[in-house]
Amino acid sequence: EVQLVESGGGLVQPGGSLRLSCAASGFTFSYFWMTWVRQAPGKRLELVALMNRGGSEKYYVDSVKGRFTISRDNDKNSLYLQMSSLRAEDTAVYYCARGGAPGTTDFWGQGTLVTVSS
Amino acid sequence: DVVMTQSPLSLPVTLGQPASIACRSSQSLVHSDGNTYLNWFQQRPGQSPRRLIYKVSNRDSGVPDRFSGSGSGTDFTLKISRVEAEDVGVYYCMQGTHWPWTFGQGTKVEIK
């Protein structure tokens, strides 16, 4: 059974940093592109970062470029999102999602809540 | 960025009756490889999104056949042939043709 379990969310002050983790199991992690998607209160879903199988290709939505870094450790079956210079508008539930094929995500984790507030 | 626009945003439906959700993109979703990367997701209350449909009309394993997707170019539709109680939730279209991949605003399906 495919499982994606996010962790690392919490309350952080504006300008602060946080590192999210996603533990994958039930599939060969290194075979799949992976993504981070966020859902802010009252806003539509936003795919913030995408990474290829080996980690050599990374894509970011403009709103997080230069502040967020996606990475992975295929030996540990884990995906990460390093977030810095956090802003109030980064407050959201962050989901780890598997890229099942080009142009899609097929399995999502349960999400971890990030709250940016003083 | 490609803007995805869904309608309606709220859809009250009687059990057993059909439902239809429209999704329009601000530009064509036909990829240079010939595929159209239009997906539909269901998010039940308190749950994470679940993919129902990929590449316009391909249903995921385990998804009831009362769900169907259609469309081309910039106009797409998700249909539920007979709504059941478990179908309550928010439905999102998502395009994966142009980076950044983008989602519609969501359509809330509820039972009348």
Side-chain angles (χ1 to χ4, degrees):
Chain A
E1 180 194 2
V2 173
Q3 282 203 315
L4 297 167
V5 180
E6 302 92 337
S7 60
L11 175 63
V12 60
Q13 291 190 337
S17 298
L18 211 55
R19 189 195 196 207
L20 305 183
S21 299
C22 170
S25 60
F27 65 101
T28 305
F29 181 70
S30 60
Y31 285 7
F32 291 85
W33 289 59
M34 296 296 296
T35 71
W36 286 99
V37 186
R38 67 184 178 185
Q39 187 168 35
K43 292 199 168 183
R44 66 181 71 195
L45 290 158
E46 182 179 43
L47 202 147
V48 298
L50 170 68
M51 170 175 268
N52 71 341
R53 289 181 287 263
S56 61
E57 293 181 48
K58 303 176 186 183
Y59 303 88
Y60 300 96
V61 68
D62 282 350
S63 58
V64 307
K65 266 182 197 172
R67 301 188 300 121
F68 288 14
T69 302
I70 187 172
S71 63
R72 65 192 294 162
D73 186 333
N74 287 341
D75 291 333
K76 294 183 178 178
N77 293 333
S78 293
L79 180 73
Y80 307 101
L81 186 68
Q82 178 68 48
M83 305 185 293
S84 60
S85 302
L86 283 161
R87 307 166 181 166
E89 55 265 35
D90 295 318
T91 294
V93 175
Y94 284 74
Y95 296 99
C96 162
R98 189 179 81 168
T104 191
T105 59
D106 60 357
F107 285 98
W108 297 49
Q110 86 290 347
T112 187
L113 176 62
V114 172
T115 303
V116 184
S117 175
S118 53
Chain B
D1 296 359
V2 176
V3 178
M4 305 297 288
T5 304
Q6 290 180 230
S7 62
L9 299 185
S10 179
L11 184 56
V13 187
T14 301
L15 285 173
Q17 292 301 301
S20 181
I21 301 170
C23 176
R24 176 167 287 179
S25 58
S26 60
Q27 55 185 277
S28 174
L29 299 186
V30 179
H31 194 272
S32 56
D33 66 6
N35 290 304
T36 299
Y37 297 113
L38 187 283
N39 307 271
W40 288 98
F41 293 87
Q42 173 196 62
Q43 187 172 29
R44 291 173 171 150
Q47 296 186 12
S48 54
R50 165 201 183 197
R51 194 180 68 179
L52 300 176
I53 302 281
Y54 61 97
K55 287 199 288 185
V56 181
S57 59
N58 294 273
R59 206 167 35 245
D60 270 276
S61 174
V63 174
D65 60 8
R66 64 179 180 274
F67 289 93
S68 64
S70 63
S72 63
T74 61
D75 289 284
F76 305 91
T77 303
L78 176 71
K79 291 183 179 174
I80 310 174
S81 59
R82 296 172 306 279
V83 172
E84 298 189 5
E86 65 178 18
D87 300 335
V88 164
V90 181
Y91 292 78
Y92 298 93
C93 59
M94 184 202 89
Q95 67 83 18
T97 296
H98 306 281
W99 183 258
W101 299 353
T102 48
F103 292 83
Q105 318 97 302
T107 295
K108 187 173 185 179
V109 171
E110 58 184 12
I111 305 300
K112 277 185 189 174

